[in-house]
Amino acid sequence: MSSDPKASQAQMEKIVSLCKRRGFIYQSSEIYGGINGFWDYGPLGAELKRNLRTLWWNTMTREREDVVGLDATIIMHPDIWKASGHVDTFADPMSTCKSCKKLVRSDQWWSIMGEQPWVQSLAAIVEPGTLALNTGDLLKWAKGKGKQLAPNLALVRNPEVTLSWLVQDIEAGKRPADAREYFLYLATEQKAAAGFVTPCPHCGGEMTEPRPFNLMFRSHYGPIESDDNVCYLRPETAQAIFVQFKNVFDSSRVKVPFGIGQIGKAFRNEITPRNYTFRSREFEQMELEFFIRPDEVIRLIYGEVAQWHEGADLSEPQPNWGWELWHRYWVDQRTKFYESIGLGRDVLDYYWQSKDELAHYATATVDILFKFPFGTEELEGIAARGDFDLTQHQKHSGKSLEVFDEELREAVKKLTDEQKKDFIAEVQEEWNDCNKSREDAAIFCDKLLTKASYLPHVIEPSAGLDRLALGILTHAFSEEEKADVNGKVETRTILRFHPRVAPIKVGVFPLLKNKPELVAKAREVYALLKKHMNCFYDESAAIGRRYARQDEVGTPFGVTIDFETCGEKGPELQDTVTLRHRDSGEQERVKISELLGKLLPLVS
RNA sequence: GCGGGAAUAACUCAGUGGUAGAGUGUCAGCUUCCCAAGCUGAAGGUCGCGGGUUCGAAUCCCGUUUCCCGCUCCA
């Protein structure tokens, strides 16, 4: 993977072209001109995705005793999206600068402003504390520094007129309320005619009115469209897990800590779908919500919460783990998953979000990134979300989502009244430090101590299946210069998929197709293998060409049936075949009866 | 949504106003053929779509869709 943008773009183009030519990925609705942000998977892409989906499902649910599965609908009760916050926060208003055409999210406008050199240098003149009017310095700035830093700002283009409004209002006793409003004055040339102009953070020019961008797909349930039956295609699969949390808990004999996994389609009306399938409007997610005891519960039961430290043993979950160790544990588990399908640490990266970047519901978030040709981008996010989601759904639905904890009850029984009082005081103090009310802390403690019940906290490893498929494809892509038998040098493409994810596991070839005994034997081998793995039978063209064709779609193994298989060179070679390895090109002679036993462990 | 580039066979591209081409790939045949071999033959194109200019448009103009690159997004 090259860091040179042109080379990586060229590489992406080769991958896109290969994917189409060999049936991995097509543009959706192509014969109708296509539709922006939607992609289809062809025969090989469907197999690749299925392999990845199955591997995730098996690793995350079947092979674990503490995770169960769920398959919920795409369209759910619309109130779910009000509770989750998506109805409000998924409609980001945006403005464009009329001069430099840059796009700015309205809710981030002021914080982006704060980072701009022109804003900072102006702020120094304005004296933010007093907002005193300093006409002389402002005029000087407009004709000097301003010309370079913010050429399209009204104050720079027409300083006298622009400042006259401010002077007029201040004289009339209407001072700007704050620094923000002050900047609106400086950006507005004709206040009376058109009202305040919002300045572009980049050039000072005029921003358009904020336009809402609703990122959720809307529809209606029932045959008549009205405001009463609006519904949404889910923008993430996770909410269904929270909403069905109590049902799963009550019907599956699970105990906290446990997880619920789900794989499914999600939909987002992205502003700009980009980078091939990386950001699509319809995509598939693989999400786990892993529910854990709040740290306070761990403390009541085990006395203290195990602390994370560099080099901590994360291999086996321990009962006294709090959210932090569970969070680290899942980062470790997910890394191991990626390694098991060929994405090693050399192509992965991690991004630990800083405290102020975190979404309001999260206590910690790690992004697992992959080095795509077009940049290092997120493959999976692992968030510690506290009890935010369950709290929201409990509040909006009016149904209790709390769980009863037998061990907690036993632990609480042993406490003296004095110890209970100390515990409550301690928790109140801690919550207060995190800007949560003492009152809420008291209610929370009361539930723990009298009812032994609580809302579990959650760790959410949330991965994109299409992104993973794209990562696997770009990682597997390789080219080799190779001379053919005539010495002509050609570039050959090889997809070096890990055998576990490869769409086709084995190619089966009779050396020649005009010899019935070879064909019959080859079809026999094909029939034997295809019940256990995806195989491809090919008898057309020279054997080298058939190998090359399979290399190009990443088939890790080839089996060739020749005259020796039929016993022509003696009985010791009878019923043996050539097994060819894609990456090394090496060949070995294997008995047909031993073929399955040899291949199965390699591909599953 | 805004700006820049692109769109011709399955893929990569040539074709600047006068009969739509090449290479690769695909398919069929011959071949005791183990790394895209050779030979013979075949299929495959509303030149993204819609208008306009013109006797005549793949080619010039306008619109539109999609893809790529930036602004923005984050599974």
Side-chain angles (χ1 to χ4, degrees), chain A residues 18 74 156 219 253 269 312 321 481 568 591:
Chain A
L18 173 72
I74 286 167
V156 172
S219 186
R253 302 183 56 226
N269 236 331
W321 279 7
E481 300 275 310
E568 204 171 82
K591 283 189 184 143

Side-chain angles (χ1 to χ4, degrees), chain A residues 7-9 126 145 147 179 264 278 281 319 379 411 424 453 531 581:
Chain A
S8 44
Q9 195 184 326
V126 165
K145 265 191 184 171
K147 278 215 154 89
F278 182 79
R281 293 196 163 122
L379 213 50
I424 295 170
S453 67
K531 285 197 177 147
H581 297 257

Side-chain angles (χ1 to χ4, degrees), chain A residues 428-486:
Chain A
Q428 283 186 313
E429 202 53 46
E430 287 166 9
W431 282 38
N432 190 48
D433 290 346
C434 314
N435 296 320
K436 292 191 284 184
S437 80
R438 286 171 182 277
E439 206 177 16
D440 288 349
I443 296 169
F444 169 72
C445 289
D446 185 59
K447 282 263 171 65
L448 295 185
L449 297 172
T450 63
K451 298 197 165 145
S453 67
Y454 55 83
L455 281 181
H457 286 206
V458 72
I459 310 290
E460 177 192 85
S462 168
L465 175 51
D466 306 270
R467 290 182 171 189
L468 178 54
L470 183 59
I472 292 279
L473 273 164
T474 58
H475 183 54
F477 184 84
S478 71
E479 288 181 314
E480 227 172 53
E481 300 275 310
K482 203 171 165 186
D484 67 15
V485 287
N486 299 323

Side-chain angles (χ1 to χ4, degrees), chain A residues 135-148:
Chain A
T135 323
D137 285 353
L138 284 173
L139 284 173
K140 201 172 141 201
W141 184 89
K143 287 171 181 163
K145 265 191 184 171
K147 278 215 154 89
Q148 280 141 35

Side-chain angles (χ1 to χ4, degrees), chain A residues 331-367:
Chain A
V331 175
D332 186 55
Q333 288 293 302
R334 298 302 302 145
T335 302
K336 286 181 175 141
F337 172 80
Y338 289 118
E339 283 171 341
S340 78
I341 54 176
L343 304 184
R345 294 188 191 237
D346 53 326
V347 288
L348 295 180
D349 209 343
Y350 298 85
Y351 181 75
W352 291 79
Q353 288 189 14
S354 64
K355 280 254 155 39
D356 45 322
E357 281 175 301
L358 288 173
H360 58 284
Y361 49 75
T363 40
T365 298
V366 182
D367 294 336

